[in-house]
Amino acid sequence: MTQHARHRARGRLGAALGQWRQPPEFRVPPPLLDPAQAAWVADVLEEVEAAEALAAAAAAAQSADTAGTAGAAGIGTGGTARTDAADAEPPGSGALVGAATGIWRALRKLDQGPASLSPADLRQIRLQVRASRQALADDGLEIQEHDGEPFDSGLSLEALVFQDDAELTREVVLETVRPSVYFRGRRIQMGQVIVGRPPQSPGAETTKETPE
């Protein structure tokens, strides 16, 4: 994530949600949240803050790698260009995966948020979390969830569980357990899903699909 994008996302989050981090006497205006609602909002904010910290760590790793690559440019046997970098994991990929998954979890929590929280409050928080997600996307980090998508063994997904459902006529993803994550077109995390399928005939085996 670029420094400008990080500052933009953090600024938006701070402006809209900073009041919930302050003692009640300093909130302007004070949010009308009960303790359970306040705890839920704080949990969402923690996911976002952790994700942004991981994105910052990934950006630092990428900057360090860029500097190191520039210093080593042209070094090789007989002047042959180095090709191993193209096959290596992107620098900071672990932190990028953590950032993407954290933002995804925060959005899932918003979608499953407490019904007692006002639509206006939910909308405000959702807009700011999505601003952070967009900042990641602007730097090439794509988060894919798979709920409701048709499933077959050729997909690059890991099916953790198959569940029989008499209402289904084909295999369908019921729930994304972990999103697929791509960085600048390259997959850095395979998605994990729960799959629904038509009832199996007696004796049919339940298998776990883990494509290469």
Side-chain angles (χ1 to χ4, degrees), residues 133-150:
R133 177 172 180 169
Q134 186 59 50
L136 293 174
D138 289 346
D139 199 39
L141 194 65
E142 181 183 357
I143 306 167
Q144 292 183 356
E145 62 179 11
H146 306 281
D147 294 13
E149 294 180 1

Side-chain angles (χ1 to χ4, degrees), residues 74-139:
I75 296 177
T77 303
T80 302
R82 295 178 60 184
T83 60
D84 57 336
D87 299 324
E89 285 293 321
S93 59
L96 285 170
V97 165
T101 303
I103 290 293
W104 174 77
R105 285 177 179 162
L107 285 168
R108 296 280 279 202
K109 286 177 182 177
L110 286 170
D111 291 338
Q112 302 164 5
S116 56
L117 203 62
S118 75
D121 285 336
L122 278 174
R123 183 168 56 253
Q124 183 184 46
I125 299 170
R126 185 176 288 110
L127 284 172
Q128 305 312 317
V129 176
R130 285 182 175 170
S132 285
R133 177 172 180 169
Q134 186 59 50
L136 293 174
D138 289 346
D139 199 39

